[in-house]
Amino acid sequence: MDVEEEKRVPIGEGLLTAPLNPLENVRLLGSRCKSCGEVALATVSSCSNCGSEDLDVIPLSGTGTLWTYTVIRNRPPGDYRGADPFVPFAEGLVELPDGIRVLSPLGGDIDKLAIGMEMKFEASKFYRNADGADVIAFKFVPSHKA
Ligand SMILES: [Zn+2]
């Protein structure tokens, strides 16, 4: 075991490219069906469109377009790990050139978000889990400062 390597795990299995260090190089992973071309988020075992199990695992684009979004102004119920006290945040669908829309938390000023704006992928440490590993999550932030 490499003791110099900080322990990091992705927030979802098969969701992010490896290694998780440096974070600037991390991208979302997708699966592209070799039979019909459908692209799915993360590594999946079969195509949701045609059922084929012949899929390529691909890193998804690091930039996309904000397709739609909503602002969450109340603390979500359950095991919420965001800011405490709660800070309103945005969540939206970002359309990637790979042919997929990804549901993602959005960074930046929630009052300056606009449908159609260019967004970029950003991986970051979210919290430390019970095994002492940093859980790596992601969001999309506006590519250009308003
Ligand atoms: Zn397919």
Side-chain angles (χ1 to χ4, degrees):
M1 186 181 155
D2 186 358
V3 289
E4 292 182 6
E5 189 74 10
E6 230 179 309
K7 280 210 293 181
R8 291 180 174 182
V9 294
I11 192 158
E13 198 61 45
L15 190 61
L16 301 173
T17 59
L20 291 170
N21 196 10
L23 287 172
E24 302 82 65
N25 293 349
V26 175
R27 292 286 176 270
L28 286 171
L29 271 180
S31 302
R32 181 187 284 131
C33 177
K34 287 186 185 177
S35 340
C36 75
E38 180 88 357
V39 175
L41 181 63
T43 52
V44 297
S45 55
S46 65
C47 174
S48 63
N49 186 51
C50 75
S52 168
E53 294 179 358
D54 197 11
L55 303 153
D56 278 328
V57 175
I58 54 168
L60 294 175
S61 174
T63 56
T65 305
L66 186 55
W67 193 72
T68 191
Y69 71 97
T70 188
V71 175
I72 290 126
R73 297 188 187 276
N74 296 294
R75 189 183 193 282
D79 195 15
Y80 179 68
R81 294 186 183 274
D84 187 19
F86 177 75
V87 176
F89 65 97
E91 199 164 84
L93 284 169
V94 177
E95 189 163 54
L96 303 181
D98 313 283
I100 185 178
R101 291 180 192 131
V102 177
L103 181 64
S104 171
L106 306 176
D109 186 339
I110 56 177
D111 294 322
K112 290 183 177 161
L113 292 169
I115 287 169
M117 75 193 304
E118 191 184 297
M119 307 292 284
K120 66 173 189 240
F121 176 82
E122 206 174 86
S124 59
K125 292 181 192 178
F126 191 21
Y127 62 92
R128 182 155 290 185
N129 70 14
D131 297 329
D134 286 321
V135 175
I136 305 303
F138 69 92
K139 62 187 172 188
F140 278 83
V141 300
S143 295
H144 309 287
K145 293 271 176 223

